Amino acid sequence: MSTTQSERLRGLLEPLVSAQQLDLEEIEVSRAGRRGVLRIIVDSDEGVELDACAELSRAISQKLDETDAMGEGEYVLEVSSPGADRPLTEHRHYVRATGRLARFHLTGDGSGELVARILAVDEDGLDLEVPGVKGRKPTARRLAFDEIAKARVEIEFNRKDKKEEEA
């Protein structure tokens, strides 16, 4: 997708997404045979429900029909929330992942890999809890954003839901 098309689509769609109290995370245009595919990824601090995706999809479809932003060819519109394997790249992604286990690929002298639970996020970095190994207690660790090369939430199948913990 050309930068001009991407910028134009972002400018066109951002107000619609914001009106739903959602963040526009990603716009991707690709080809699937003869058709184009426009994939819109949205998120919020509370997550995104299926009904919100459907409502936003209708609003985006109507807006795109009124313009020539997608050209004359056929295209498929997909509006969804980010998958569980989405990389953590923005400050808000880390805030939304608070309480979750994440895998960090580190830069510089601390290069390597770290798996830890995100406890708190501020402007400079993260407060983490590194799980103990072989019966040892977890340890606290501070990680600055500039020490992180890549980060991704780890899927936990035995993790307690926040509602279970509060009960």
Side-chain angles (χ1 to χ4, degrees):
M1 172 172 62
S2 71
T3 304
T4 307
Q5 185 183 24
S6 175
E7 290 169 358
R8 184 170 181 209
L9 284 168
R10 184 167 287 278
L12 191 65
L13 303 180
E14 193 116 45
L16 297 173
V17 174
S18 295
Q20 299 277 337
Q21 284 80 44
L22 299 171
D23 296 318
L24 180 56
E25 294 290 344
E26 188 177 333
I27 297 175
E28 178 185 315
V29 177
S30 59
R31 303 282 322 152
R34 296 180 316 183
R35 292 184 177 161
V37 177
L38 174 59
R39 188 169 291 115
I40 309 293
I41 307 295
V42 295
D43 202 2
S44 79
D45 291 343
E46 295 78 37
V48 182
E49 294 186 5
L50 188 58
D51 289 344
C53 284
E55 187 176 328
L56 183 58
S57 180
R58 285 188 291 275
I60 289 173
S61 181
Q62 181 178 352
K63 181 59 107 177
L64 291 174
D65 287 347
E66 295 169 1
T67 69
D68 66 343
M70 286 301 294
E72 296 297 317
E74 294 180 19
Y75 67 92
V76 175
L77 173 63
E78 296 177 6
V79 177
S80 68
S81 62
D85 62 343
R86 176 202 49 202
L88 303 174
T89 57
E90 302 284 335
H91 184 271
R92 68 178 176 265
H93 299 164
Y94 291 99
V95 171
R96 291 174 185 158
T98 299
R100 306 284 307 270
L101 198 62
R103 180 174 304 275
F104 301 92
H105 295 272
L106 306 177
T107 63
D109 294 339
S111 65
E113 201 170 83
L114 171 68
V115 176
R117 189 166 308 281
I118 301 172
L119 299 178
V121 181
D122 59 34
E123 294 305 313
D124 301 317
L126 312 168
D127 291 327
L128 305 173
E129 179 184 74
V130 181
V133 181
K134 296 182 181 177
R136 293 187 181 157
K137 290 184 178 181
T139 56
R141 177 161 178 187
R142 176 76 182 167
L143 191 61
F145 286 120
D146 62 3
E147 295 177 83
I148 303 170
K150 292 191 309 188
R152 190 177 304 270
V153 168
E154 287 284 288
I155 305 299
E156 294 179 83
F157 293 105
N158 59 352
R159 180 174 175 253
K160 288 184 179 177
D161 190 322
K162 286 181 184 177
K163 293 176 185 169
E164 283 181 42
E165 291 174 1
E166 292 172 0

